[in-house]
Amino acid sequence: MRDVPMRRGMKRKHKRLLAVLGLVAGLGVAAALVLTAFNDNLVFFHSPSDVAEKKIAADKRFRIGGLVEAGSVKKDGLTTEFVVTDLRHAVPVVYTGMLPDLFREGQGVVANGKLDAEGRFIASEVLAKHDENYMPPEVADALKKSGQWHEKPGDHAKLKPGS
Amino acid sequence: MHALANPARFLRLMAAIRPYAAAVAIIGLVVGLGWGLLISPRDYQQGETVRIMYIHVPSAWMAMFIYAAIAVSSAVALIWRHPVAELVAKASAPVGAAFTLICLVTGSLWGKPMWGTWWVWDARLTSMLILFFLYLGYIALWEAFDDPSRAGRAAAILALVGAVNLPIIKFSVDWWNTLHQPASVLTLEGPKIHPDILWPLLITAVGAQGYYVWILSLRVRAEILNRQARILRFSAAADRRAG
Amino acid sequence: MYWSSLGDFLAMGGHAGFVWPSFALALVVLLGLGWSSRIAMKAAEREHAEAKREARADA
């Protein structure tokens, strides 16, 4: 007689275990579906390849992200012109205003603005994108001197052309 | 685990661990942050601002670790009706919320000089803000019910629902283009941080873990004693009515 | 030691206004939480002892 409530207790425990597992699995699937559906809105910036392939409307505001092409920065007073590249496509950017500390050639940037008729990106805001590497300046200099410095996009801005 | 279900035994264990946790916390935080402030070099791009990382990164890890601990304890509490597990979860929440707040504010203080903005709504920053609101909601839900067993169940379900956010935070920088940089320490190729910067970071992180266990041992003791006091008063009132 | 002078240390390469508030916030939040947790534990210990005493007095 005594093992009847015991067995019922075990059953209830299993039911609760299944309910919790079901809740977590269901939520995981729901979250994955929602995130996939809103994928485009969760992207903080578009790459120059996105711009080339998706043909973003000339008057639509968006953010563009990529590397500042080496040798492309031209300053004229407060106005800066530079080229943002993902090493497949490149977009010229014009910006008037203060640049963040980390802005420099070869560095990742994210600019907010819109394309003009000539395909230039007129930015109202430029943010520097930091990379995942941390090292003392002497080490960076030593790496550059020894030729071990890798200027590839994976080392700088996270870029996923066409994603 | 069943041995830990006994509140008295759990309290004894917590009391035994407490001095060690406090030592790990104080030594880890003083050595890690002292090293980070006084000895470690500046970063080749960020300059001295890199020192904010010694606070920001361990706080971010703790914010996620403690939420994961709350979710696991909540699952144990829901399935096995484990009385200590739900109090461990409840006692952890303010610590996790504190680390999340520190992570958000120091990230903002880093972002202004480095990125050029205090805040952006990218996937990493937004999912971290959601984590902060989950902590606040979890704490509020415990207070919203008079009956602790109902409050505990509602809060545990919220904790499990919110756990979906953890992988989103972790992988947001890989899944979407974000302004926030990708992972530096836990990567397939190994850490991308120079050892002179990595060591103080890891020591601070160990100190932060010690701090969590230390504070948890204080708060869990408070929760268990309060609940026992409540039961004592209830049964005394029931006895008076009966007698 | 990385710093050559106390002034350099406090200036943080010109970013003192960002570095020091970060450390101050962490210190204040962690100490405050530790302090309030200790107070909560002491209060719970008193409450538990009192409930126990009352239950014993009733019996």
Side-chain angles (χ1 to χ4, degrees):
Chain A
M1 282 302 277
R2 283 196 62 198
D3 65 343
V4 175
M6 268 267 286
R7 207 184 291 151
R8 196 179 292 150
M10 283 295 288
K11 247 179 150 178
R12 213 178 278 160
K13 201 177 290 175
H14 281 136
K15 238 183 229 167
R16 291 200 294 261
L17 177 65
L18 283 175
V20 167
L21 288 178
L23 174 76
V24 171
L27 279 163
V29 171
L33 288 174
V34 169
L35 294 177
T36 314
F38 288 106
N39 199 22
D40 274 355
N41 298 321
L42 289 164
V43 167
F44 185 65
F45 60 83
H46 296 278
S47 66
S49 294
D50 290 342
V51 176
E53 285 154 20
K54 284 187 184 167
K55 306 260 184 277
I56 294 168
D59 55 343
K60 193 185 165 229
R61 281 192 81 79
F62 65 100
R63 291 192 191 84
I64 191 166
L67 300 174
V68 179
E69 199 167 81
S72 74
V73 178
K74 281 190 283 284
K75 280 191 185 172
D76 179 18
L78 266 178
T79 300
T80 313
E81 282 180 49
F82 56 95
V83 174
V84 167
T85 174
D86 59 7
L87 307 184
R88 291 206 338 210
H89 293 91
V91 172
V93 177
V94 183
Y95 170 67
T96 304
M98 288 285 290
L99 290 163
D101 284 14
L102 285 184
F103 179 91
R104 64 195 71 168
E105 291 181 357
Q107 181 75 33
V109 287
V110 176
N112 189 359
K114 48 184 147 184
L115 290 169
D116 70 3
E118 292 116 76
R120 292 186 314 169
F121 191 83
I122 310 301
S124 57
E125 180 187 46
V126 171
L127 303 176
K129 187 165 162 33
H130 184 56
D131 57 44
E132 65 272 38
N133 299 302
Y134 296 75
M135 65 181 94
E138 308 81 64
V139 175
D141 289 344
L143 281 177
K144 279 174 187 160
K145 236 175 249 166
S146 68
Q148 301 240 300
W149 190 258
H150 302 296
E151 294 278 356
K152 60 175 197 280
D155 281 350
H156 285 280
K158 185 94 187 171
L159 295 170
K160 279 168 285 181
S163 76
Chain B
M1 200 147 84
H2 281 284
L4 292 178
N6 178 335
R9 206 171 295 168
F10 189 80
L11 281 183
R12 277 201 297 279
L13 175 77
M14 279 279 132
I17 292 175
R18 191 175 307 144
Y20 298 103
V24 169
I26 292 168
I27 295 171
L29 292 176
V30 169
V31 171
L33 294 179
W35 185 341
L37 271 179
L38 297 172
I39 303 168
S40 80
R42 67 182 188 280
D43 179 70
Y44 74 116
Q45 289 181 340
Q46 304 166 52
E48 313 298 354
T49 317
V50 70
R51 297 178 204 285
I52 295 176
M53 292 290 118
Y54 300 120
I55 306 247
H56 175 77
V57 174
S59 301
W61 289 341
M62 290 313 297
M64 293 174 68
F65 175 84
I66 294 174
Y67 197 90
I70 291 174
V72 170
S73 305
S74 298
V76 170
L78 278 179
I79 297 164
W80 288 283
R81 291 286 145 86
H82 196 308
V84 174
E86 87 176 3
L87 294 180
V88 166
K90 186 186 180 192
S92 297
V95 192
F99 278 117
T100 313
L101 179 70
I102 293 172
C103 172
L104 288 168
V105 176
T106 56
S108 188
L109 285 164
W110 182 89
K112 184 60 189 169
M114 294 297 112
W115 288 338
T117 180
W118 298 103
W119 183 265
V120 291
W121 294 100
D122 83 346
R124 170 57 73 82
L125 276 67
T126 306
S127 56
M128 205 62 191
L129 185 66
I130 291 172
L131 182 71
F132 185 59
F133 290 143
L134 280 170
Y135 272 120
L136 296 186
Y138 178 85
I139 294 168
L141 207 50
W142 264 107
E143 304 303 324
F145 292 84
D146 286 330
D147 173 9
S149 70
R150 286 180 64 194
R153 212 168 308 155
I157 289 170
L158 175 69
L160 284 173
V161 169
V164 175
N165 194 30
L166 290 181
I168 295 176
I169 297 173
K170 169 73 187 136
F171 297 110
S172 54
V173 289
D174 301 321
W175 291 342
W176 304 290
N177 292 334
T178 54
L179 186 62
H180 195 284
Q181 52 269 37
S184 292
V185 178
L186 276 178
T187 67
L188 289 175
E189 305 99 274
K192 297 180 177 180
I193 303 185
H194 190 271
D196 288 352
I197 299 174
L198 184 60
W199 272 111
L201 190 65
L202 294 179
I203 293 170
T204 309
V206 170
Q209 279 285 350
Y211 175 86
Y212 166 51
V213 176
W214 182 15
I215 303 303
L216 179 66
S217 79
L218 299 175
R219 299 194 75 92
V220 149
R221 180 170 170 79
E223 295 293 345
I224 291 176
L225 290 179
N226 275 332
R227 185 157 292 188
Q228 285 177 347
R230 186 187 159 90
I231 294 166
L232 280 170
R233 287 189 190 283
F234 253 77
S235 54
D239 283 353
R240 268 198 298 277
R241 270 199 300 278
Chain C
M1 179 65 84
Y2 168 83
W3 305 97
S4 50
S5 77
L6 182 67
D8 278 2
F9 175 59
L10 294 176
M12 278 290 155
H15 283 158
F18 301 102
V19 175
W20 292 119
S22 298
F23 279 80
L25 173 88
L27 192 74
V28 167
V29 170
L30 295 186
L31 285 180
L33 181 68
W35 184 250
S36 73
S37 301
R38 208 183 151 69
I39 288 174
M41 187 189 77
K42 293 287 174 202
E45 281 173 350
R46 275 196 304 277
E47 160 72 3
H48 185 255
E50 198 180 310
K52 222 171 173 178
R53 216 167 28 242
E54 277 174 23
R56 214 174 285 145
D58 273 4

